[in-house]
Amino acid sequence: MALLQEISEYIQQGDMNEVSKLTSMALQQNFNPQEIIDNGLIVGMSAIGERFKRNEVFVPEMLIAARAMNKALEILEPKMVNAKIKKTGTLVIGTVEGDLHDIGKNLIGIMFKGAGFNVIDLGIDVSAERFLESAVDHKADFVGISALLTTTMVNMEKTIKELRANNITTKVLVGGAPLTEKFAHEIGADGYAPDAASAVGVAKSLMNSR
Ligand code: B1M
């Protein structure tokens, strides 16, 4: 079986040890980290999501798959981040209140670190007040908010309102599978990125438009 396909299979089985071993092996075989993420890890996560929808697997299986993917990202991160790049700005990022999904948010964080940003990761289930506090404390250039549920994406607007009510003009970038550009615009976000590959580009174009 091809290596990336094998990674996807072990993600679905939630086998963290095999996923870690094969991810390291793929790096040794000169696979590009992005290729490992897109064609191995994310393929596996999407497959488990589909199986969840069909009631073939349940929350615990999704949880162990996520744990395996986060472990693989830890292995890939040093290859994607060049510590010598001059710092270009600060991003405060978190998953919105009520939402526990962190893989997409972690990937966005890695991409921003890779592009030379200082990244403050507030984790999951982050309240509007915590986003505000951290944006002020770190003089953030960007606040990044991630949501994976249709039931939690509405909480993004609450965060943006909290920032604006306190006269924080920091650019807000939103993303996550259920979002659309139209929704992002409606809730007052400055930018929307559909995936990790485009998020840094969106942020940079917002910086240039200041
Ligand atoms: Co959940 N879950 N989950 N889950 N889960 C989904 C999201 C779901 C689509 C599964 C399904 O039904 N097919 C569904 C949501 C349906 C909906 O609302 N539209 C769902 C559900 C229903 C639930 C629960 C309600 C299940 C339950 O309890 N009955 C529950 C909710 C808990 C909560 O959050 N309050 C739940 C729980 C969980 C686990 C905790 C078990 C686990 C998460 C663990 C973790 O993250 N550490 C989990 C998982 C793993 C998934 C799936 C399988 C995988 C998510 C993932 O990591 N994808 C997911 C199905 C799927 O996605 N196909 C599913 C890989 C990741 C790289 O992609 O996060 O989309 P993603 O990130 C992308 C883009 O969205 C974008 O870039 C990223 C990289 O390209 N992006 C941004 C993300 N954030 C961004 C921010 C940006 C810009 C771009 O700017 C700031």
Side-chain angles (χ1 to χ4, degrees), residues 8-169:
S8 158
E9 292 295 331
Y10 280 116
I11 279 284
Q12 291 173 61
Q13 292 172 27
D15 190 331
M16 190 164 78
N17 291 338
E18 279 301 320
V19 170
S20 304
K21 198 178 89 191
L22 295 175
T23 300
S24 303
M25 198 187 281
L27 284 177
Q28 277 160 14
Q29 291 183 18
N30 289 326
F31 280 91
N32 179 305
Q34 200 58 52
E35 212 181 334
I36 302 172
I37 291 172
D38 292 342
N39 302 331
L41 299 167
I42 290 185
V43 173
M45 291 308 290
S46 303
I48 197 140
E50 287 309 308
R51 288 166 64 194
F52 175 76
K53 235 182 345 193
R54 296 196 297 268
N55 289 324
E56 291 168 11
V57 296
F58 301 96
V59 169
E61 285 89 347
M62 288 205 290
L63 198 55
I64 55 170
R67 216 174 287 159
M69 172 142 185
N70 271 331
K71 189 74 199 167
L73 289 182
E74 274 176 32
I75 294 169
L76 294 174
E77 181 169 349
K79 306 285 172 200
M80 299 171 77
V81 175
N82 181 351
K84 289 189 191 127
I85 297 179
K86 191 172 156 274
K87 290 284 171 262
T88 41
T90 295
L91 167 76
V92 163
I93 191 166
T95 303
V96 78
E97 188 164 11
D99 202 318
L100 307 178
H101 297 84
D102 68 354
I103 297 176
K105 180 260 303 164
N106 293 348
L107 254 177
I108 302 290
I110 292 173
M111 298 308 266
F112 273 77
K113 281 187 204 162
F117 281 81
N118 178 28
V119 175
I120 314 296
D121 188 343
L122 302 180
I124 54 177
D125 189 17
V126 181
S127 67
E129 295 74 22
R130 275 193 67 216
F131 273 113
L132 168 66
E133 202 179 276
S134 186
V136 172
D137 286 355
H138 296 283
K139 298 187 175 60
D141 299 286
F142 292 98
V143 169
I145 320 174
S146 175
L148 260 287
L149 299 171
T150 42
T151 49
T152 59
M153 60 194 253
V154 290
N155 294 339
M156 289 174 147
E157 186 172 16
K158 194 172 143 195
T159 301
I160 296 172
K161 281 193 173 145
E162 179 79 10
L163 292 169
R164 301 310 179 224
N166 286 278
N167 299 320
I168 306 299
T169 53

